[in-house]
């Protein structure tokens, strides 16, 4: 760890840290307010599982389309302003999606919301890394934990709105206005001046862009196994590098598949297949994100003690066992616990994949991170329609087998991650 850690951050830097935390909170809460409304929207629009899966895939499709444009927006507006502008437009897209009276409008609004969410995600992480550099130590993981808190808060808000019988329009308008005001207030306390950081890129869950930034900073400064900037990389690259990079992409994608299963299908499975109340059905996603938050809070200490490989394998086993049992013996409480186990198990996967990608030999700095971050988006894009097609053919319970299969994939590929340090 560098001596910069000993420097006490100034009050402006501490305020900026709180401001970035607010941006992460609002980003997690906005979309989570819409997710528990999906079953009602699906029913109102008369969508089958396949059509529904294709429609909700518009959100990650928008994120993919806008991902590369985020850097341009940040250069023109600055990271803080870009993050706030993206937040306002994301809230507007979510509101339109909630009020849509056709599947075309629903998908188009989700595409807009996903595109603006991608801009927000890159921008808030870029600004978070500016604050981190002022601090001289890693603080980026704390922002992602706060994102998880925001997602839980947003899901809880939606569940309360449903319980109070608030219309979707009134509920999502309140959500958009509250978080727009919070983001605008946070902007006042963000760092001023020109952007001095390197070019941002990538995508949180409720993770990947930030995970990219965190891994980059950790590797450049003082993270586990990190190297100082300018240190010479291992010179050789070949089949081994390509194999490891592919395995890391699959590990990160496994994490996104599990996250998407919770966000897109948990409420539908609980309310449809298991006949849970609409309010209780929202608990599946809340449990997944809440457990993921716990995993992120303790993940750094677990990795330091046991190594990335052991933590990933243990997480994969938790996913396979927890969700496997929930699907084998379907009950409402068991399924909620299964989604919680899945969220806890995948909490460290994306950071682990990003860190290892940054250490691969023969790649320019950031190249491995960019590849993993870009390709893992396919998990969010492809998962909803694939699960929907399987659900239409064999039932949603079978479609959700993607979750334990993702955990099994992690168990098979975790050997590419770093073992415990001696």
């Amino acid at each position: 760890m560098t001596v910069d850690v000993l420097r006490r951050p100034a009050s402006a830097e501490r305020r900026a840290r709180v401001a970035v935390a607010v941006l992460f909170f609002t980003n997690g809460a906005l979309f989570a307010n819409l997710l528990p409304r999906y079953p009602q929207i699906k029913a109102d629009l008369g969508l089958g599982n396949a059509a529904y899966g294709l429609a909700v895939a518009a959100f990650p499709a928008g994120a993919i389309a806008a991902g590369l444009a985020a850097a341009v927006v940040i250069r023109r507006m600055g990271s803080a302003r870009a993050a706030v502008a993206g937040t306002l437009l994301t809230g507007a897209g979510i509101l339109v999606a909630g009020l849509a009276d056709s599947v075309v409008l629903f998908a188009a609004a989700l595409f807009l919301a996903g595109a603006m969410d991608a801009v927000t995600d890159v921008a808030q992480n870029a600004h978070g890394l500016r604050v981190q550099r002022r601090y001289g130590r890693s603080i980026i993981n704390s922002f992602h934990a706060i994102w998880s808190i925001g997602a839980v808060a947003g899901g809880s808000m939606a569940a309360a709105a449903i319980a109070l019988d608030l219309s979707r329009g009134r509920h999502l308008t309140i959500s958009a206005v509250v978080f727009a005001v919070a983001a605008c207030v946070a902007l006042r306390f963000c760092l001023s001046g020109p952007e001095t950081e390197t070019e941002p890129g990538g995508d949180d869950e409720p993770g990947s862009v930030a995970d990219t930034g965190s891994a980059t900073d950790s590797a450049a400064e003082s993270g586990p196994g990190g190297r100082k900037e300018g240190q010479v990389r291992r010179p050789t690259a070949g089949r081994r590098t390509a194999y490891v990079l592919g395995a890391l992409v699959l590990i990160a994608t496994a994490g996104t598949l599990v996250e998407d299963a919770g966000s897109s299908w948990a409420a539908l499975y609980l309310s449809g297949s298991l006949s849970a109340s609409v309010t209780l059905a929202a608990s599946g996603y809340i449990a997944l994100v809440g457990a993921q938050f716990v995993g992120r809070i303790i993940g750094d200490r677990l990795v330091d003690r046991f190594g990335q490989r052991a933590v990933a394998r243990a997480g994969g086993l938790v996913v396979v066992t927890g969700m496997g049992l929930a699907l084998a013996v379907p009950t409402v409480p068991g399924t909620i616990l299964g989604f919680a186990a899945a969220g806890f198990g995948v909490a460290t996967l994306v950071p682990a994949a990003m860190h290892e990608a940054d250490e691969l030999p023969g790649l320019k700095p950031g190249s491995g991170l960019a590849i993993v971050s870009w390709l893992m988006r396919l998990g969010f894009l492809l998962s909803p329609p694939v699960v929907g097609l399987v659900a239409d053919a064999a039932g949603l319970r079978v479609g959700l087998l993607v979750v334990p299969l993702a955990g099994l994939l992690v168990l098979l590929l975790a050997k590419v991650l770093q073992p415990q340090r001696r």
Side-chain angles (χ1 to χ4, degrees), residues 154-173:
S156 300
M157 283 177 61
I162 293 170
L164 294 173
D165 201 26
L166 283 181
S167 67
R168 288 201 301 271
R170 183 177 297 180
H171 159 219
L172 294 176
T173 298

Side-chain angles (χ1 to χ4, degrees), residues 221-273:
E221 293 181 14
S222 59
R227 54 183 182 282
K228 299 290 184 181
E229 190 175 37
Q231 218 171 329
V232 179
R233 286 176 175 264
R234 291 167 288 179
T236 59
R239 292 183 179 179
R240 171 66 181 172
T241 298
Y243 163 75
V244 173
L245 185 60
L248 294 175
V249 168
L250 290 175
I251 289 173
T253 302
T256 65
L257 287 173
V258 172
E259 291 179 25
D260 180 74
S263 63
S264 297
W265 300 103
L268 284 174
Y269 178 65
L270 285 162
S271 62
S273 301

